[in-house]
């Protein structure tokens, strides 16, 4: 079984503005200075507690917990009032349909919550492409390999036939820890040079090029 596991934010969908806005609200409500938006974007892919801990390393546990809960509330509120905007990147829906039709098993491994991931996939009508969904609600944060290992178990796929596709070094490091291949994408939050240095076998510039790399 060939298994392709995708990161979500920065790989399938572009939630950059929504993440930065929610983090601004969270830090304000926790009484912390506004985080640098460049650093916020670089934390995308980590589970929320790890991201906040990296962005506010000097804040106490209680303050970090306030920020965490405020972030979740801000994101949930945006989803409910219809202001949340997480468009798919160009060509992603067609790529998923093509791979699915060619017999690939598809999965997601993300730092998002179960609720957040399911909402994103349902909004774009792509839930049916995926046979395994792994989130930070049930696993340690990337780059720990647990999410990818569970995805492989669900799909009954071997590491040698599994590819992790993501936009951050965290995705590449997770793949390496699980013994799987890693392919980076150039449209996300970390630079292509970083992904290659971390061990990605290549970095796709477009969804069409990613498909070629997967089938090559």
């Amino acid at each position: 079984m060939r298994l392709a596991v995708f990161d979500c934010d920065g790989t399938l969908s572009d939630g950059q503005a929504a993440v930065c806005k929610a983090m601004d609200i969270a830090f304000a409500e926790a009484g912390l200075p506004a985080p640098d938006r460049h650093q916020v974007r670089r934390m995308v892919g980590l589970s929320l507690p790890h991201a906040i801990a990296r962005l506010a390393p000097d804040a106490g546990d209680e303050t970090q917990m306030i920020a965490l809960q405020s972030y979740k509330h801000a994101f949930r509120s945006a989803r409910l009032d219809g202001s949340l905007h997480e468009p798919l990147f160009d060509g992603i829906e067609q790529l998923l349909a093509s791979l699915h039709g060619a017999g690939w098993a598809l999965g997601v491994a993300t730092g998002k919550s179960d609720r957040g991931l399911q909402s994103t996939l349902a909004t774009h009508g792509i839930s049916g492409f995926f046979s395994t969904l792994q989130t930070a609600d049930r696993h340690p944060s990337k780059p720990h390999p647990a999410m990818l290992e569970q995805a492989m178990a669900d799909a009954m796929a071997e590491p040698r036939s599994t590819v992790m596709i993501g936009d951050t070094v965290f995705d590449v490091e997770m793949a390496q820890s699980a013994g799987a291949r890693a392919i980076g994408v150039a449209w996300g939050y970390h630079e292509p040079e970083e992904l290659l240095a971390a061990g990605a076998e290549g970095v796709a510039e477009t969804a069409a090029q990613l498909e070629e790399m997967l089938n090559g």
Side-chain angles (χ1 to χ4, degrees), residues 4-14 75 79 84-89 92-93 96 106-110 112-135 138:
V5 180
F6 292 82
D7 170 54
C8 187
D9 289 329
T11 301
L12 294 177
S13 64
D14 185 3
F75 226 92
R79 185 177 295 116
L84 183 63
H85 187 54
E86 297 179 293
L88 294 180
F89 287 103
I92 288 298
E93 185 172 2
L96 296 175
L106 304 179
V108 178
T110 176
K112 294 173 82 72
S113 65
D114 284 329
R115 179 185 296 176
L117 175 60
Q118 289 164 4
S119 176
T120 298
L121 299 182
T123 295
H124 296 295
I126 59 174
S127 301
F129 291 128
F130 300 102
S131 59
T132 178
L133 302 176
Q134 307 303 323
T135 76
R138 289 170 283 116

Side-chain angles (χ1 to χ4, degrees), residues 9-32:
D9 289 329
T11 301
L12 294 177
S13 64
D14 185 3
Q16 178 178 158
V19 169
C20 289
K21 181 179 179 181
M23 200 65 80
D24 283 345
I25 293 171
F27 271 54
E29 293 188 359
L32 294 168

Side-chain angles (χ1 to χ4, degrees), residues 169 172 176 191-200 203:
V169 168
V172 178
Q176 291 190 317
E191 296 298 324
E193 294 78 10
E194 295 178 275
L195 302 177
L196 292 170
V203 178

Side-chain angles (χ1 to χ4, degrees), residues 57-74:
D58 297 328
D61 291 346
E62 184 175 349
T63 300
Q64 290 185 9
M65 183 56 66
I66 292 171
L68 186 151
Q69 295 300 332
S70 296
Y71 180 96
K72 289 182 176 179
H73 178 74

Side-chain angles (χ1 to χ4, degrees), residues 6-7 10-12 89 92 165-168 183-192 195 200 202-206 210:
F6 292 82
D7 170 54
T11 301
L12 294 177
F89 287 103
I92 288 298
I165 300 143
D167 64 298
T168 71
I183 295 177
V185 299
W187 51 82
Y189 300 118
H190 289 184
E191 296 298 324
L195 302 177
V203 178
E205 297 287 340
T206 65
L210 175 57

Side-chain angles (χ1 to χ4, degrees), residues 42-64:
R42 289 188 61 80
M43 293 303 108
V44 172
L46 295 175
S47 65
L48 185 56
H50 279 70
I52 290 175
R54 290 197 183 194
L55 291 168
D58 297 328
D61 291 346
E62 184 175 349
T63 300
Q64 290 185 9

